[in-house]
Amino acid sequence: MKGILLAGGSGTRLHPMTLAASKQLLPVYDKPMVYYPLSTLMLAGIKDIMLISTPDDLPQFRRLLGDGSRFGVRFEYAVQPSPDGIAQAFLIGRDWLAGEACALALGDNLIHADHLSTLLRAASARPVGATVFAYQVRDPERYGVVAFDANGKAVEVVEKPAAPTSNWAITGLYFYDHNVSDIARSIKPSARGELEITDLNRVYLEADTLHVEKLSRGCAWLDAGTPDSLLQAATFVQTIQSRTGMLVGCPEEVAFRMGFIDADRLRHHATHLGKTELGRVLMELAEGESA
């Protein structure tokens, strides 16, 4: 399975900050925002990743991430000339995907849970259909929403409903089988002129191949797309890391724990992070493995 990291858009809800930098390059506590969804894809065991961004922002992502070898993965880069919908990512990446299954992570989403890797690996191993993750929210009208019948089966997906029939929002993490590019090519732009990811999910739902995983209370999902949610995400990461000593959304750590890089490589990266707290924790992790 391959992965697409969508880091486009103009970030208008975060102006004026995003007049100078991509939203996904803004800091969420001690790491760039894009590190968090990148870590999520890596936790699913994905090593081939395409990052899609705007023509102006793509060079900055290249500078930050390079070819991916630092994390034991391989990066490809592609341009989204204009923000024409999330599902457009599968048209942009169609040739690169070459008929393989794909996971898509939105560049401003943070998902954290102790058992997250298990959920992700199960989703990536599912040979047919699509898997999305749902999370209960107070303001479902802001999101794509999934509704369930009395038996807990998904029966409806709606984009930003005016009168939501459910408070289960679909998070910015999606797993699709090898048919996804063909399905994306078949859907039509919505009234706002975008290829909606909800319309793509509806195709799988109508084929009875949409699997919905409900994220429990032990999980956290944060969409860092507004000033308030950006601050909340930073506070969440700072609290978890300072209280537990465990890192959140650190691709170097994930790469090491997943076996993508060894202790020597991790030590090298920790050294380059200098006297930062992040560098110190990574060095302790590398030295502990070597002891």
Side-chain angles (χ1 to χ4, degrees):
M1 173 172 279
K2 293 181 175 180
I4 292 178
L5 189 49
L6 186 58
S10 54
T12 54
R13 292 182 299 167
L14 284 167
H15 281 181
M17 290 181 286
T18 48
L19 292 175
S22 166
K23 170 176 64 175
Q24 293 87 359
L25 292 173
L26 296 179
V28 175
Y29 186 50
D30 59 349
K31 296 176 274 319
M33 187 187 298
V34 72
Y35 271 27
Y36 297 91
L38 169 60
S39 297
T40 300
L41 290 177
M42 292 169 62
L43 280 171
I46 295 171
K47 301 180 74 171
D48 288 297
I49 299 170
M50 171 177 278
L51 187 141
I52 299 175
S53 189
T54 68
D56 290 338
D57 294 325
L58 203 62
Q60 301 305 316
F61 286 103
R62 287 183 183 271
R63 180 181 177 187
L64 173 67
L65 301 172
D67 63 2
S69 59
R70 184 162 92 251
F71 312 124
V73 302
R74 294 171 292 274
F75 282 124
E76 293 285 340
Y77 295 90
V79 169
Q80 185 180 34
S82 58
D84 295 328
I86 295 172
Q88 187 188 32
F90 299 108
L91 304 184
I92 295 170
R94 180 181 177 85
D95 291 342
W96 176 75
L97 286 172
E100 290 193 40
C102 180
L104 171 67
L106 301 188
D108 61 356
N109 274 228
L110 185 159
I111 299 177
H112 178 73
D114 288 340
H115 60 292
L116 183 59
S117 181
T118 301
L119 289 176
L120 300 178
R121 297 301 289 267
S124 65
R126 188 167 283 127
V128 177
T131 301
V132 298
F133 297 85
Y135 190 84
Q136 286 185 295
V137 296
R138 291 190 305 170
D139 49 355
E141 65 278 358
R142 290 182 53 212
Y143 306 98
V145 172
V146 56
F148 303 91
D149 64 16
N151 298 316
K153 182 179 179 180
V155 293
E156 181 184 48
V157 288
V158 183
E159 180 66 21
K160 295 181 175 64
T165 57
S166 163
N167 66 344
W168 287 95
I170 297 176
T171 70
L173 178 64
Y174 318 86
F175 287 75
Y176 298 104
D177 63 17
H178 67 280
N179 294 309
V180 64
S181 291
D182 290 336
I183 294 174
R185 191 165 59 172
S186 73
I187 65 176
K188 305 299 182 184
S190 66
R192 58 179 184 168
E194 296 189 7
L195 297 177
E196 304 286 357
I197 197 70
T198 297
D199 290 338
L200 183 64
N201 291 332
R202 189 175 295 113
V203 173
Y204 282 98
L205 177 68
E206 291 172 354
D208 199 26
T209 58
L210 180 69
H211 306 270
V212 181
E213 296 285 351
K214 292 181 177 178
L215 296 177
S216 66
R217 290 186 178 182
C219 299
W221 171 54
L222 298 164
D223 171 5
T226 67
D228 283 348
S229 60
L230 183 62
L231 177 61
Q232 290 166 4
T235 301
F236 173 82
V237 173
Q238 191 272 341
T239 300
I240 294 294
Q241 292 189 171
S242 64
R243 292 286 183 90
T244 68
M246 296 184 294
L247 294 174
V248 179
C250 178
E252 291 95 345
E253 182 208 20
V254 173
F256 176 68
R257 296 194 184 280
M258 295 292 293
F260 296 177
I261 62 173
D262 60 19
D264 287 340
R265 182 79 67 86
L266 181 63
R267 188 181 298 107
H268 173 77
H269 298 321
T271 300
H272 279 271
L273 286 171
K275 296 181 180 180
T276 64
E277 179 66 10
L278 183 57
R280 183 192 67 78
V281 174
L282 291 178
M283 184 62 76
E284 287 185 356
L285 181 61
E287 295 295 346
E289 183 68 17
S290 302

